[in-house]
Amino acid sequence: MTDTAPTGKLTIETHGRREALALAGTICDLYEAVFSLPPFDGKAAEFANQRSYFPRLVDRPGFRLTTARSGAEFVGFGYGHLLPADTRWWGALAEPVGEEFAAETGTRTFVVIDYGVLPDRRGAGIGHRIHDELLSGSGAERATLSVQPKAVLTRELYRRWGWRKVSEKLMDPPIPAPVFEILVLEEMPGVR
C-alpha cells in the first residue's frame, strides 16, 4: 500500500520471512531508536536481547512484519505472530483470565511483539496504518500485546484504537520493565 503523506511518499509494506531477515538490522536499529527514549529508556541489554530474538521470531507460524517508509527511510515497524495452541502467554497473570478466554487454536490470536514509529514521525497516522495493516492480514480473530504501565501516551493510544486491558504480568527477569499490562483487541481492523 502506497500513499502520499505530508513528509513525502509513504509506503506501508508487509514482509515475508526472507524479507524480514534481510531487514533485521534496520528493524533492530528502529527498535533501539524508539525504545531508547523516555518513557522507555531502554538499555544495551534490552537492545541486545531484541537483536537476538528477532531473527528467531520469523519462523513462528503466522509471523508478519509491517514497515513504513518515507522515500527510502524506514520510519516505523510492527511485528508479531499467531499464538500457538500450547502458548504460555495467558499463564501467570496477576488477574487470571478464564479458561475459555485463554484457549488458543494456533490461529485465534495474533500477538504484537514489538511496534514503534520514530519520534519525529509520530502524530501523522503512520502508526495507525502500520497497526491496521499488520493486524488485518493476520487471519486472527483477535490480537494481544503487552505495554509498560509507564508508557501512558502509548496506553492511551491503544485504548482509542479499541484495545482493553485484561491483566498484568510480572516479568522475570524484570527487563525491560518489572510489569507489563496485557491488552486485547477483539475487533480486528478490516473485519466487519
Side-chain angles (χ1 to χ4, degrees), residues 122-155:
R122 294 178 188 159
I126 295 170
H128 203 181
R129 290 186 52 209
I130 293 169
H131 170 274
D132 287 358
E133 170 68 16
L134 179 66
L135 297 180
S136 67
S138 72
E141 299 171 27
R142 66 182 183 180
T144 187
L145 58 76
S146 61
V147 64
Q148 295 180 37
K150 66 182 178 180
V152 175
L153 295 177
T154 303
R155 289 176 26 243

Side-chain angles (χ1 to χ4, degrees), residues 36-163:
S36 64
L37 301 172
F40 305 104
D41 299 319
K43 306 294 184 234
E46 175 186 349
F47 304 136
N49 184 45
Q50 190 267 344
R51 285 182 186 279
S52 171
Y53 69 68
F54 179 80
R56 293 191 313 263
L57 286 179
V58 303
D59 290 325
R60 297 275 179 107
F63 175 84
R64 294 174 60 80
L65 165 65
T66 299
T67 59
R69 276 187 300 113
S70 179
E73 177 190 12
F74 285 90
V75 298
F77 69 96
Y79 58 85
H81 58 83
L82 293 168
L83 286 178
D86 63 349
T87 186
R88 295 182 308 194
W89 181 263
W90 304 112
L93 297 177
E95 299 165 24
V97 296
E99 190 174 308
E100 185 177 322
F101 184 90
E104 293 296 342
T105 63
T107 60
R108 182 180 186 197
T109 307
F110 185 84
V111 58
V112 178
I113 300 296
D114 291 316
Y115 168 85
V117 174
L118 292 176
D120 64 340
R121 300 305 180 108
R122 294 178 188 159
I126 295 170
H128 203 181
R129 290 186 52 209
I130 293 169
H131 170 274
D132 287 358
E133 170 68 16
L134 179 66
L135 297 180
S136 67
S138 72
E141 299 171 27
R142 66 182 183 180
T144 187
L145 58 76
S146 61
V147 64
Q148 295 180 37
K150 66 182 178 180
V152 175
L153 295 177
T154 303
R155 289 176 26 243
E156 288 174 8
L157 183 73
Y158 287 140
R159 193 169 22 261
R160 286 196 309 269
W161 292 350
W163 293 82

Side-chain angles (χ1 to χ4, degrees), residues 166-179:
V166 295
S167 193
E168 293 182 347
K169 183 174 273 195
L170 296 175
M171 303 306 290
D172 185 23
I175 297 170
V179 67

